[in-house]
Amino acid sequence: MFMGEYRHNIDSKGRIIIPAKFREQLSQVFVITRGLDGCLFGYSAEEWEKVQAEVDKLPFNKKDARTFSRLFFSAATECEIDKQGRVNLPSSLVKYAGLVKNCVLTGVSTRFEIWDADKWDTYTEESQDDFNEIAENLLDF
């Protein structure tokens, strides 16, 4: 399970350190792709297979399902961790998430996310006030 919040810088070559706690749960090769809300999603190889199976169940005759599948899978890239614990992110994903220098890697149960630090700080500040109400609404779900 991925959990916690870690702050690392991305360098000019698109390399970022994957926290040791996350590396322990990843095999040598794992997947990073476009996420929602302007971040990147990272999955272990095992979890990626599960996610892929769920997305494959979307009805291909629905435009939104086709668009989501195309954008989600076309951006997916297999990544490897180097000897310094870094991963090299493709420039298209760096651009998508607006990663400039300061980044936040957050654990979200079965995946981790990579955020631009300013974007993450804004997101959490805006969402924090609604946390109790969101939890209450989800209980009805």
Side-chain angles (χ1 to χ4, degrees), residues 2 5-6 13 43 47 64 74 90 98 106 115 119 124 129:
F2 296 102
E5 179 179 310
Y6 304 87
K13 295 180 181 178
Y43 297 96
E47 191 61 30
D64 286 345
S74 68
T106 62
W115 289 78
K119 195 184 298 185
T124 56
D129 293 340

Side-chain angles (χ1 to χ4, degrees), residues 5-37:
E5 179 179 310
Y6 304 87
R7 293 182 181 261
H8 291 285
N9 291 332
I10 188 168
D11 69 16
S12 60
K13 295 180 181 178
R15 296 176 301 194
I16 189 167
I17 292 173
I18 301 297
K21 293 279 187 186
F22 291 2
R23 290 194 307 260
E24 292 170 1
Q25 300 174 67
L26 296 169
S27 56
Q28 183 60 29
V29 177
F30 60 98
V31 176
I32 295 180
T33 191
R34 281 185 189 99
L36 303 176
D37 302 313

Side-chain angles (χ1 to χ4, degrees), residues 80-114:
E80 292 185 48
I81 298 171
D82 69 14
K83 293 178 183 176
Q84 287 78 36
R86 302 172 302 187
V87 65
N88 191 10
L89 300 174
S91 60
S92 59
L93 289 179
V94 171
K95 182 179 177 181
Y96 169 79
L99 305 178
V100 180
K101 182 168 175 86
N102 301 319
C103 298
V104 178
L105 292 91
T106 62
V108 189
S109 187
T110 59
R111 71 173 184 274
F112 65 92
E113 298 179 347
I114 304 174

Side-chain angles (χ1 to χ4, degrees), residues 51-64:
V51 169
Q52 183 178 1
E54 288 301 311
V55 174
D56 285 346
K57 291 178 186 176
L58 295 174
F60 73 91
N61 61 327
K62 299 288 186 182
K63 183 179 180 181
D64 286 345

